[in-house]
Amino acid sequence: SQLHCGSRLVFARDGRLFVALGDRFSRKDDAQKLDNHIGKVVRIEPDGQVPADNPFVSTPGARPEIWSLGHRNMQGAALNPASGELWATEHGPQGGDELNRVLSGRNYGWPLLTFGRNYGTGTRIGEEGPKSGFEQPLKVWMPVSVAPSGMAFLTSDRYSGWKGSLFMGTLRGESLLRLELDGNRVVKEEALLRAANSRIRDVRQGPDGYLYVLTDSADGQLLRLQP
């Protein structure tokens, strides 16, 4: 399958590498199985070896690289500078886009738990939760998907009142979302750059502290946000 590659790379503070891997659409049921890397986040050493403290290294039949499971199509990932934790966004199907804290050994539900629906028919795919043994998203977008893409936490003082916010591009939503956080809670959502009418593929904080945004089109642009 050529769909749902969902791959992002993030180095943790300890130098280990998180690799997000999508469910490949037609193989969504494999996202719940530990014998493969489909719909998983894996965690490896820089040389490709398996860290001894990965959560499933002692689980019979499990791939030892696995960090978390039950993901669909992760298009954004970044380390939370306040906690050092991996945070990630993933596309739901028809609705059900998610923002998650991606923690060791946790199951994020897909396709057993999801707020998204089947394309066209709008019928349920799984339960919505909460359900014991599964993580609930920090935020979910429904009933209409925004199609989240790259994301970045702002640590600079370049923009008044924005330090500590999480920024995420959206493709279908054609905007840059600013999520104001209180610890692990999203307390406010603000849509920026709507007037550009552009799919936004990625956002990063530059070494100069400014936010840089990449649009997704045949004549794509690299934009710098002015304070």
Side-chain angles (χ1 to χ4, degrees):
S1 172
Q2 298 178 340
L3 301 172
H4 294 191
C5 297
S7 190
R8 286 280 174 168
L9 306 176
V10 176
F11 277 102
R13 289 174 178 168
D14 61 10
R16 285 155 173 165
L17 178 63
F18 292 111
V19 184
L21 300 166
D23 76 338
R24 309 317 292 251
F25 189 73
S26 60
R27 294 186 60 183
K28 66 180 184 296
D29 292 336
D30 281 338
Q32 287 295 320
K33 299 173 184 176
L34 291 172
D35 63 356
N36 66 82
H37 294 140
I38 300 294
K40 312 293 192 303
V41 171
V42 304
R43 176 180 180 249
I44 55 176
E45 302 285 1
D47 63 359
Q49 297 297 309
V50 177
D53 60 346
N54 268 10
F56 299 106
V57 289
S58 300
T59 303
R63 298 300 296 266
E65 300 86 1
I66 295 173
W67 175 258
S68 61
L69 67 152
H71 299 285
R72 185 174 184 267
N73 186 19
M74 290 168 282
Q75 295 287 321
L79 280 192
N80 184 324
S83 63
E85 294 173 344
L86 178 67
W87 285 32
T89 55
E90 59 186 83
H91 288 202
Q94 189 170 288
D97 301 335
E98 295 179 2
L99 169 67
N100 288 301
R101 295 167 66 205
V102 185
L103 305 176
S104 174
R106 304 293 178 87
N107 189 331
Y108 291 83
W110 178 255
L112 302 179
L113 261 68
T114 174
F115 288 91
R117 301 297 183 96
N118 282 302
Y119 291 112
T121 62
T123 53
R124 284 187 183 274
I125 296 171
E127 301 176 48
E128 291 187 349
K131 187 174 183 179
S132 178
F134 298 91
E135 296 300 302
Q136 284 290 100
L138 301 180
K139 184 169 177 60
V140 63
W141 286 267
M142 56 181 290
V144 179
S145 292
V146 295
S149 56
M151 55 186 269
F153 290 87
L154 184 71
T155 60
S156 78
D157 296 304
R158 290 288 192 183
Y159 307 90
S160 178
W162 285 5
K163 187 174 183 178
S165 291
L166 173 60
F167 291 82
M168 50 178 274
T170 64
L171 302 170
R172 190 181 191 279
E174 294 189 341
S175 60
L176 178 70
L177 297 184
R178 183 180 76 86
L179 303 181
E180 194 171 304
L181 305 174
D182 179 4
N184 295 321
R185 292 190 310 118
V186 178
V187 295
K188 181 181 178 181
E189 175 182 333
E190 180 182 9
L192 309 168
L193 300 182
R194 276 220 166 118
N197 295 317
S198 295
R199 289 161 53 91
I200 294 178
R201 175 60 65 181
D202 208 355
V203 55
R204 302 289 176 93
Q205 178 179 296
D208 56 7
Y210 289 109
L211 288 171
Y212 290 83
V213 173
L214 189 65
T215 68
D216 180 354
S217 68
D219 58 347
Q221 297 174 303
L222 178 62
L223 309 175
R224 186 175 79 170
L225 265 64
Q226 294 299 107

